[in-house]
Amino acid sequence: MTGDARRGAAAWGLGALLVGALVVVLATAAVTAWLVAAAVGPGLFHEHMTSAGMADHDAAVVHAEQAFQDAGTVSLALALGAAALVSAVVGVVLNRRIGRSLATVSTAAARVGAGAYDSRVPEPGLGTEFDDLARSFNAMAARLHESDRLRARLLADVAHEVRTPVATIAGYLEAIEDGVQPLDEDTLAVLREQSARLTRLADDLAAVTRAESGDLTLHREPVAPADLLHAAAGAVRERAAVADVEVGLDVTDGLPPVAVDRTRLAQVFDNLLDNALRHTPPGGRVVLAATHEPDGQVALRVADTGEGIAPEHLPHVLERFYRVDTARDRGHGGSGIGLAISRALVQAHGGTLTAASDGPGAGATFTVTLPPA
Ligand SMILES: Nc1ncnc2c1ncn2[C@@H]1O[C@H](COP(=O)(O)OP(=O)(O)OP(=O)(O)O)[C@@H](O)[C@H]1O
Ligand SMILES: [Mg+2]
């Protein structure tokens, strides 16, 4: 069916419904008025005439009663005719306006169904129900548009990430087959490292997808912010010692507990501390702090004295696959997903994760805010 034919059918369906409803209303009104006028009117008129002292069969009375009946019939017929005319006009106008609005929405829905996610419909101004329909439709289309854009970007990023290790493995295998490269311990180490990178990428992708889709079961319990930070600091003590970076704690007294899944939050702080240790040179310092925000939220910070983040990179570091120094950060084995996973986990708790830095060399601070329990 073409768009026009479909529109025609929709308009006809709605038009028939409106005409049917108006005909039923008119017919009911006509029959009721007729019955009442026929049964009640003449009797009442006759009673008035006799109570005014007129004789029953007086010619003037018969004449007046006939005149009353004729006047009644003509008035009723005129009123019904006018009502039918107004109903027809109202029906046509409503049918055209509602039909046009519905046709706009159904055409836009067909376009969205065909993949044109940028289709939007104007609010028809036909009352709140129709305006709500248009708004919900536009919100749905915008959401689909956004997820389609993310899907396309994710696929491109994944393809990009997979290409390098797969190309390395393929290159080595070919060289081994050609006898150019011996299958010794060094070669095996390269192959193992590249396959480990692919495995980690697959694991990270699964984790970020799960976290971002909201498909997470959180086992929340009230936890004191100080406990969270103590546990996080304890978990990286050895890595910090190896990196020769001091890890300190700074917790404000009297903080309310937060309702969190300890394991997920531990994962968030492990990612943040792993980054902080990796980007802080030996002799540096990482501080874990907890404070009360003016808006009632609890803020948990991981601040380092490391290499910092330039302003142009700062808005992007929380995005999937974003690395400031692609070659070097990848050399560390990172896929650039740690912060995206952390942000999704914090958001699943109803909180936020933000990054701040005064620039290269000035250290970086990552802040997790959580609503109090
Ligand atoms: N504390 C920090 N100081 C300076 N730069 C940082 C810091 N934390 C993160 N970054 C920058 O943000 C980028 C993204 O961090 P993210 O944790 O998402 O990825 P990654 O650490 O490179 O890899 P992954 O965490 O997946 O192993 C890092 O590559 C790094 O360039
Ligand atoms: Mg990381």
Side-chain angles (χ1 to χ4, degrees), residues 339-367:
L339 288 176
I341 296 176
S342 303
R343 176 168 63 175
L345 289 175
V346 173
Q347 284 175 347
H349 283 84
T352 59
L353 172 64
T354 48
S357 172
D358 286 336
T365 302
F366 287 82
T367 306

Side-chain angles (χ1 to χ4, degrees), residues 2-373:
T2 65
D4 277 349
R6 201 167 18 229
R7 212 166 307 148
W12 169 239
L14 186 67
L17 214 65
L18 273 174
V19 168
L22 290 175
V23 165
V24 169
V25 172
L26 270 179
T28 314
V31 170
T32 316
W34 207 270
L35 283 177
V36 171
V40 184
L44 264 179
F45 189 77
H46 187 76
E47 223 171 82
H48 273 285
M49 293 301 258
T50 43
S51 64
M54 306 288 249
D56 241 5
H57 296 295
D58 198 328
V61 170
V62 173
H63 189 72
E65 284 185 354
Q66 187 57 46
F68 173 78
Q69 262 189 10
D70 291 351
T73 310
V74 171
S75 319
L76 213 60
L78 278 178
L80 276 175
L85 197 71
V86 171
S87 302
V89 173
V90 167
V92 168
V93 171
L94 272 182
N95 178 34
R96 286 178 71 165
R97 287 200 63 181
I98 298 176
R100 208 176 306 138
S101 305
L102 289 180
T104 314
V105 176
S106 77
T107 310
R111 282 167 50 86
V112 168
Y117 299 123
D118 54 350
S119 306
R120 298 288 182 274
V121 288
E123 287 180 21
L126 271 181
T128 44
E129 289 87 353
F130 277 93
D131 288 352
D132 282 351
L133 174 68
R135 267 195 295 274
S136 315
F137 180 89
N138 290 341
M140 177 198 75
R143 188 75 207 261
L144 283 171
H145 200 180
E146 177 63 10
S147 53
D148 190 54
R149 204 181 56 78
L150 286 177
R151 184 189 57 80
R153 222 192 70 197
L154 177 66
L155 276 180
D157 287 340
V158 171
H160 180 83
E161 288 305 311
V162 166
R163 200 170 297 131
T164 316
V166 168
T168 311
I169 293 172
Y172 267 80
L173 289 176
E174 206 178 302
I176 293 165
E177 273 173 358
D178 292 350
V180 189
Q181 178 82 32
L183 185 57
D184 54 16
E185 214 22 71
D186 288 347
T187 309
L188 283 174
V190 172
L191 292 177
R192 233 179 265 124
E193 189 196 318
Q194 296 304 316
S195 80
R197 204 168 127 189
L198 286 172
T199 309
R200 193 170 44 234
L201 177 67
D203 290 347
D204 284 353
L205 275 175
V208 79
T209 308
R210 224 178 10 253
E212 287 183 356
S213 68
D215 191 15
L216 274 183
T217 324
L218 296 177
H219 300 289
R220 287 171 177 242
E221 51 181 322
V223 185
D227 286 356
L228 281 177
L229 297 189
H230 270 291
V236 292
R237 192 166 295 128
E238 273 162 29
R239 270 179 278 164
V242 171
D244 188 19
V245 172
E246 189 195 337
V247 175
L249 276 167
D250 176 9
V251 181
T252 308
D253 283 336
L255 287 178
V258 282
V260 295
D261 183 322
R262 270 174 177 272
T263 321
R264 309 283 190 192
L265 254 283
Q267 197 182 341
V268 170
F269 284 107
D270 197 62
N271 281 337
L272 295 179
L273 285 165
D274 180 64
N275 285 346
L277 293 177
R278 218 193 289 156
H279 296 280
T280 304
R285 186 172 153 81
V286 175
V287 177
L288 285 160
T291 53
H292 212 161
E293 294 297 277
D295 61 0
Q297 305 253 325
V298 175
L300 305 167
R301 288 194 179 79
V302 178
D304 64 56
T305 58
E307 62 201 45
I309 303 167
E312 68 269 26
H313 294 297
L314 204 53
H316 303 290
V317 289
L318 300 174
E319 293 172 7
R320 280 182 260 176
F321 295 109
Y322 195 88
R323 283 163 297 207
V324 171
D325 182 339
T326 314
R328 212 192 50 173
D329 289 326
R330 189 180 284 151
H332 284 126
S335 2
I337 304 186
L339 288 176
I341 296 176
S342 303
R343 176 168 63 175
L345 289 175
V346 173
Q347 284 175 347
H349 283 84
T352 59
L353 172 64
T354 48
S357 172
D358 286 336
T365 302
F366 287 82
T367 306
V368 173
T369 60
L370 292 167

